PDB file of all heavy atoms in Angstrom:
ATOM      1  N   LYS Q  50      26.813   9.956  19.200  1.00  0.00           N
ATOM      2  CA  LYS Q  50      26.706   8.557  19.695  1.00  0.00           C
ATOM      3  C   LYS Q  50      25.460   7.984  19.073  1.00  0.00           C
ATOM      4  O   LYS Q  50      24.338   8.204  19.493  1.00  0.00           O
ATOM      5  CB  LYS Q  50      26.636   8.515  21.212  1.00  0.00           C
ATOM      6  CG  LYS Q  50      26.664   7.196  21.750  1.00  0.00           C
ATOM      7  CD  LYS Q  50      26.679   7.185  23.319  1.00  0.00           C
ATOM      8  CE  LYS Q  50      26.721   5.745  23.833  1.00  0.00           C
ATOM      9  NZ  LYS Q  50      26.648   5.713  25.271  1.00  0.00           N
ATOM     10  N   PRO Q  51      25.617   7.130  18.068  1.00  0.00           N
ATOM     11  CA  PRO Q  51      24.440   6.576  17.353  1.00  0.00           C
ATOM     12  C   PRO Q  51      23.690   5.677  18.245  1.00  0.00           C
ATOM     13  O   PRO Q  51      24.226   4.851  18.994  1.00  0.00           O
ATOM     14  CB  PRO Q  51      24.989   5.831  16.159  1.00  0.00           C
ATOM     15  CG  PRO Q  51      26.430   5.605  16.465  1.00  0.00           C
ATOM     16  CD  PRO Q  51      26.874   6.713  17.431  1.00  0.00           C
ATOM     17  N   ALA Q  52      22.386   5.870  18.292  1.00  0.00           N
ATOM     18  CA  ALA Q  52      21.434   5.037  19.101  1.00  0.00           C
ATOM     19  C   ALA Q  52      21.167   3.744  18.442  1.00  0.00           C
ATOM     20  O   ALA Q  52      20.848   2.733  19.151  1.00  0.00           O
ATOM     21  CB  ALA Q  52      20.125   5.867  19.402  1.00  0.00           C
ATOM     22  N   ILE Q  53      21.277   3.647  17.148  1.00  0.00           N
ATOM     23  CA  ILE Q  53      20.932   2.455  16.379  1.00  0.00           C
ATOM     24  C   ILE Q  53      22.174   2.044  15.639  1.00  0.00           C
ATOM     25  O   ILE Q  53      22.732   2.855  14.928  1.00  0.00           O
ATOM     26  CB  ILE Q  53      19.753   2.690  15.428  1.00  0.00           C
ATOM     27  CG1 ILE Q  53      18.529   3.201  16.167  1.00  0.00           C
ATOM     28  CG2 ILE Q  53      19.408   1.445  14.648  1.00  0.00           C
ATOM     29  CD1 ILE Q  53      17.406   3.648  15.259  1.00  0.00           C
ATOM     30  N   PRO Q  54      22.631   0.774  15.744  1.00  0.00           N
ATOM     31  CA  PRO Q  54      23.744   0.337  14.911  1.00  0.00           C
ATOM     32  C   PRO Q  54      23.454   0.429  13.493  1.00  0.00           C
ATOM     33  O   PRO Q  54      22.405   0.287  12.954  1.00  0.00           O
ATOM     34  CB  PRO Q  54      23.886  -1.138  15.346  1.00  0.00           C
ATOM     35  CG  PRO Q  54      23.043  -1.303  16.571  1.00  0.00           C
ATOM     36  CD  PRO Q  54      22.115  -0.244  16.596  1.00  0.00           C
ATOM     37  N   PHE Q  55      24.539   0.792  12.741  1.00  0.00           N
ATOM     38  CA  PHE Q  55      24.362   1.049  11.365  1.00  0.00           C
ATOM     39  C   PHE Q  55      23.978  -0.232  10.538  1.00  0.00           C
ATOM     40  O   PHE Q  55      23.191  -0.158   9.596  1.00  0.00           O
ATOM     41  CB  PHE Q  55      25.680   1.582  10.743  1.00  0.00           C
ATOM     42  CG  PHE Q  55      25.565   2.142   9.344  1.00  0.00           C
ATOM     43  CD1 PHE Q  55      24.806   3.267   9.077  1.00  0.00           C
ATOM     44  CD2 PHE Q  55      26.106   1.515   8.248  1.00  0.00           C
ATOM     45  CE1 PHE Q  55      24.654   3.779   7.848  1.00  0.00           C
ATOM     46  CE2 PHE Q  55      25.986   2.001   6.986  1.00  0.00           C
ATOM     47  CZ  PHE Q  55      25.217   3.118   6.732  1.00  0.00           C
ATOM     48  N   GLY Q  56      24.363  -1.363  11.007  1.00  0.00           N
ATOM     49  CA  GLY Q  56      23.983  -2.635  10.349  1.00  0.00           C
ATOM     50  C   GLY Q  56      22.413  -2.867  10.486  1.00  0.00           C
ATOM     51  O   GLY Q  56      21.842  -3.356   9.581  1.00  0.00           O
ATOM     52  N   ALA Q  57      21.908  -2.506  11.640  1.00  0.00           N
ATOM     53  CA  ALA Q  57      20.467  -2.675  11.847  1.00  0.00           C
ATOM     54  C   ALA Q  57      19.683  -1.684  10.970  1.00  0.00           C
ATOM     55  O   ALA Q  57      18.626  -2.036  10.383  1.00  0.00           O
ATOM     56  CB  ALA Q  57      20.144  -2.434  13.305  1.00  0.00           C
ATOM     57  N   ILE Q  58      20.254  -0.467  10.693  1.00  0.00           N
ATOM     58  CA  ILE Q  58      19.561   0.477   9.862  1.00  0.00           C
ATOM     59  C   ILE Q  58      19.532  -0.067   8.440  1.00  0.00           C
ATOM     60  O   ILE Q  58      18.511   0.010   7.775  1.00  0.00           O
ATOM     61  CB  ILE Q  58      20.307   1.836   9.912  1.00  0.00           C
ATOM     62  CG1 ILE Q  58      20.071   2.503  11.299  1.00  0.00           C
ATOM     63  CG2 ILE Q  58      19.751   2.761   8.862  1.00  0.00           C
ATOM     64  CD1 ILE Q  58      20.870   3.738  11.544  1.00  0.00           C
ATOM     65  N   ILE Q  59      20.652  -0.642   8.015  1.00  0.00           N
ATOM     66  CA  ILE Q  59      20.719  -1.130   6.663  1.00  0.00           C
ATOM     67  C   ILE Q  59      19.750  -2.362   6.468  1.00  0.00           C
ATOM     68  O   ILE Q  59      19.023  -2.464   5.501  1.00  0.00           O
ATOM     69  CB  ILE Q  59      22.167  -1.688   6.320  1.00  0.00           C
ATOM     70  CG1 ILE Q  59      23.108  -0.452   6.324  1.00  0.00           C
ATOM     71  CG2 ILE Q  59      22.253  -2.404   5.014  1.00  0.00           C
ATOM     72  CD1 ILE Q  59      22.848   0.593   5.233  1.00  0.00           C
ATOM     73  N   GLY Q  60      19.664  -3.265   7.491  1.00  0.00           N
ATOM     74  CA  GLY Q  60      18.779  -4.408   7.402  1.00  0.00           C
ATOM     75  C   GLY Q  60      17.383  -3.918   7.355  1.00  0.00           C
ATOM     76  O   GLY Q  60      16.513  -4.440   6.484  1.00  0.00           O
ATOM     77  N   VAL Q  61      16.965  -2.987   8.163  1.00  0.00           N
ATOM     78  CA  VAL Q  61      15.557  -2.461   8.244  1.00  0.00           C
ATOM     79  C   VAL Q  61      15.272  -1.749   6.879  1.00  0.00           C
ATOM     80  O   VAL Q  61      14.209  -1.895   6.312  1.00  0.00           O
ATOM     81  CB  VAL Q  61      15.303  -1.547   9.387  1.00  0.00           C
ATOM     82  CG1 VAL Q  61      14.077  -0.801   9.265  1.00  0.00           C
ATOM     83  CG2 VAL Q  61      15.416  -2.354  10.690  1.00  0.00           C
ATOM     84  N   ALA Q  62      16.261  -1.015   6.382  1.00  0.00           N
ATOM     85  CA  ALA Q  62      16.092  -0.314   5.073  1.00  0.00           C
ATOM     86  C   ALA Q  62      15.840  -1.252   3.934  1.00  0.00           C
ATOM     87  O   ALA Q  62      15.001  -1.054   3.124  1.00  0.00           O
ATOM     88  CB  ALA Q  62      17.336   0.520   4.805  1.00  0.00           C
ATOM     89  N   GLU Q  63      16.585  -2.344   3.911  1.00  0.00           N
ATOM     90  CA  GLU Q  63      16.378  -3.293   2.863  1.00  0.00           C
ATOM     91  C   GLU Q  63      15.021  -3.893   2.934  1.00  0.00           C
ATOM     92  O   GLU Q  63      14.319  -4.056   1.846  1.00  0.00           O
ATOM     93  CB  GLU Q  63      17.447  -4.464   2.958  1.00  0.00           C
ATOM     94  CG  GLU Q  63      18.831  -4.047   2.602  1.00  0.00           C
ATOM     95  CD  GLU Q  63      19.846  -5.150   2.970  1.00  0.00           C
ATOM     96  OE1 GLU Q  63      19.516  -6.155   3.576  1.00  0.00           O
ATOM     97  OE2 GLU Q  63      20.943  -4.900   2.547  1.00  0.00           O
ATOM     98  N   ILE Q  64      14.483  -4.234   4.052  1.00  0.00           N
ATOM     99  CA  ILE Q  64      13.153  -4.850   4.252  1.00  0.00           C
ATOM    100  C   ILE Q  64      12.115  -3.835   3.802  1.00  0.00           C
ATOM    101  O   ILE Q  64      11.197  -4.137   3.054  1.00  0.00           O
ATOM    102  CB  ILE Q  64      12.996  -5.305   5.675  1.00  0.00           C
ATOM    103  CG1 ILE Q  64      13.914  -6.470   5.971  1.00  0.00           C
ATOM    104  CG2 ILE Q  64      11.512  -5.629   5.915  1.00  0.00           C
ATOM    105  CD1 ILE Q  64      13.921  -6.903   7.419  1.00  0.00           C
ATOM    106  N   LEU Q  65      12.236  -2.607   4.267  1.00  0.00           N
ATOM    107  CA  LEU Q  65      11.203  -1.565   3.955  1.00  0.00           C
ATOM    108  C   LEU Q  65      11.168  -1.229   2.508  1.00  0.00           C
ATOM    109  O   LEU Q  65      10.103  -1.077   1.934  1.00  0.00           O
ATOM    110  CB  LEU Q  65      11.451  -0.370   4.863  1.00  0.00           C
ATOM    111  CG  LEU Q  65      11.197  -0.516   6.376  1.00  0.00           C
ATOM    112  CD1 LEU Q  65      11.536   0.752   7.107  1.00  0.00           C
ATOM    113  CD2 LEU Q  65       9.792  -1.029   6.621  1.00  0.00           C
TER     114      LEU Q  65
END
Side-chain angles (χ1 to χ4, degrees):
K50 186 176 181 184
I53 304 171
F55 192 68
I58 292 173
I59 296 298
V61 168
E63 289 172 352
I64 292 169
L65 293 177

